[in-house]
Amino acid sequence: MGLLGRDIFGLIFLVIVFAFTRTGEAQSRSFLINCGTNSSITLSGRKWVGDLATNNNLTLSSSGIAASTSTLSDDSTYGPLYKTARVFTNGFNYTFQGIKGNYFVRLHFSPFSFDNYNVNESSFGVVANGLKLLSEFSVHGEISDKNAYLQSSGSNSSSSLIKEYILAINLDLLVIEFIPAKGSFGCINAIEIVPVGRYTLCRTS
Ligand SMILES: *[C@@H]1O[C@H](CO)[C@@H](O)[C@H](O)[C@H]1NC(C)=O
Ligand SMILES: *[C@@H]1O[C@H](CO)[C@@H](O)[C@H](O)[C@H]1NC(C)=O
Ligand SMILES: *[C@@H]1O[C@H](CO)[C@@H](O)[C@H](O)[C@H]1NC(C)=O
Ligand SMILES: *[C@@H]1O[C@H](CO)[C@@H](O)[C@H](O)[C@H]1NC(C)=O
Ligand SMILES: *[C@@H]1O[C@H](CO)[C@@H](O)[C@H](O)[C@H]1NC(C)=O
């Protein structure tokens, strides 16, 4: 009985190892990025690395503006992550290296006003490896629309937004390009890039 148990355990162990190695080194990597800061934050056991932290296979095209707020967003899960953002008035690129395969790319927005940047006036486009994801995007406008819907269905309103995409990346490189509308600016609170597949299904189950 004991022997049989060990054998079954051993078999399961081998199957799992095989599944992980088969997906390949590059494909199994995730990027959890905390924008607008050099410090990392751990939420529900997942570490979000500051976008200014060095040596993380991520490069920023310029320093942009690191914005922060002392007000905690009402979003309980991601609240601490949403206290910082990167704000940019010109084209701004995040370049991720060593990334190949199919990925969920989630852009997290939880706008707050900072200095003279009124979040209600922000408008920008987002392009990933040449593919247009968003154009003339207003975070404020979309959150208002979302809240109108939430209120009509009797739910609490929200101050944040996650835009999710599935991207097939075959360059070993992902460039996420933010392009503010003329005279406007863009902002981003966090970027989450996780492989589509077994690992993701295990994590969310
Ligand atoms: C992080 O940023 C703060 C403020 O900009 C700076 O004082 C600190 O030295 C930085 N830390 C690291 C590890 O780069
Ligand atoms: C961002 O990357 C795109 C594509 O590689 C490039 O055309 C553009 O000039 C870059 N923008 C900046 C601000 O570096
Ligand atoms: C950066 O990418 C290389 C090649 O994909 C990888 O071997 C290395 O572990 C990565 N470094 C970090 C800090 O993720
Ligand atoms: C943005 O608009 C909302 C209402 O849509 C308003 O409550 C808020 O005060 C505005 N924020 C700023 C900084 O103007
Ligand atoms: C709405 O917010 C209130 C107060 O924060 C909370 O008690 C309630 O559980 C929330 N309802 C839903 C459906 O999330």
Side-chain angles (χ1 to χ4, degrees), residues 61 91-93 175 177:
S61 61
F92 189 90
N93 287 1
V175 182
E177 200 178 347

Side-chain angles (χ1 to χ4, degrees), residues 1-15:
M1 188 58 189
L3 243 179
L4 182 65
R6 265 201 297 278
D7 280 346
I8 288 170
F9 183 78
L11 180 65
I12 291 169
F13 179 73
L14 281 177
V15 168

